[in-house]
Amino acid sequence: MITSDQLQEVLERRDALKGYLDIDTKLIQLKEEELRTHDPHFWDDPVKAQAQMKVVQGLKHWIDDFNDIDTQANELQLAFEYIKEDLVSEEEIDALYAKAIETLADIELRNMLRNEEDKMGAVLKINAGAGGTEAQDWASMLVRMYHRWCEDQGYKVTVTNWQDGDDAGVKTVTLQVEGELAYGFLKSENGVHRLVRVSPYNAQGKRMTSFASVFVVPLVDDTIEIEINQGLMTWETFRSGGAGGQNVNKVETGVRLRYMYTDPDTGETEEIIIENTETRSQLDNRENAKRLLRSQLYDKEIQRRNKAKAAIEGSKKKIEWGSQIRSYVFDDRRVKDHRTNHQTSDVDGVMDGKISPFIKAYLMEFGGE
């Protein structure tokens, strides 16, 4: 059975969360923001209205979360008093405690995602590394892993681009993930993922190492203003097929957007290339390609801000494109994150989408920086 000190810890963490989340202020803000939605002309501007509804929903979300842990903490405290009268069992109290601790940890974790971009959706681009079929198969396994994780979180996933591998797997895939805090969680996946296994594609049954890159940026919406210079954009079209090579189009509906980006600080020029094969409509694919371009430009602005901040404060971690972040060693039954040293022997579970412990370990170590 739990001790009085464990009960006190729950109550203190509950009270601390009320202060961190500034619940009293959020309650006042919610009333004010809801009043704006009562304007008879509120939906005259749908984009502005949807942005306002997101503000309302966001406030409600945090208030409901706090009310939930507040109720659990009060129930635990009451049950702890009733144990003396044999009205509840030790097992019931332990179950209430375990539930409260889990809820606290979840809210505390999400409270760390305070940056503007953290609350947005995410765009994941997964590229197979060198190594042909083996690497392309590994990329497809990562696609499945992220699909499963997103399903568990209740996020909507759309495949906006898919290029089949030569014999199996995929060369490159772009996933659009929509849902609250999707980017805040998935930003931890940015980097190179390493697979070590006995390859089913090797006749000698040799142990092989493969790599796949995961690139994550926030998914912007119409409320985020990003300046795009139309003169720096060029378009190409090509025939596109669905995931897995299904039904190759006889018309060129796939689009490739090229954009020449110049870093305002260094003056260095970089070509951004975005391919979209999501729909059979070239017009729709063009629109979504432009949205993905805005997402990448927004991410570059975030990187500029972070770089400037790091120059002033110094940085405790090295997170950069091309860095190996995690190894998946199948025959040793081990998955290890090289940034946090968090690891598990549940390889099958990880490949089935159970990556939340890795995400949480990353955010607990680096999320507050």
Side-chain angles (χ1 to χ4, degrees), residues 37 41-55:
T37 68
H41 300 289
F42 178 70
W43 287 102
D44 289 355
D45 185 340
V47 173
K48 186 177 179 181
Q50 288 174 1
Q52 179 64 22
M53 292 305 298
K54 282 187 177 181
V55 172

Side-chain angles (χ1 to χ4, degrees), residues 194 324-327 334 336-342:
R194 171 177 173 258
Q324 182 179 303
I325 66 166
R326 194 176 300 147
S327 291
R334 175 171 52 88
K336 180 178 180 179
D337 195 293
H338 303 295
R339 302 161 300 179
T340 64
N341 288 323
H342 180 80

Side-chain angles (χ1 to χ4, degrees), residues 25 29 89 111 152 196 198 201 211 225 254 329 343 356 364 368:
T25 300
Q29 288 177 336
S89 67
N111 183 49
D152 289 343
V196 179
V198 175
Y201 300 101
F211 297 91
E225 294 185 5
V329 186
Q343 61 181 322
S356 289
M364 293 303 292

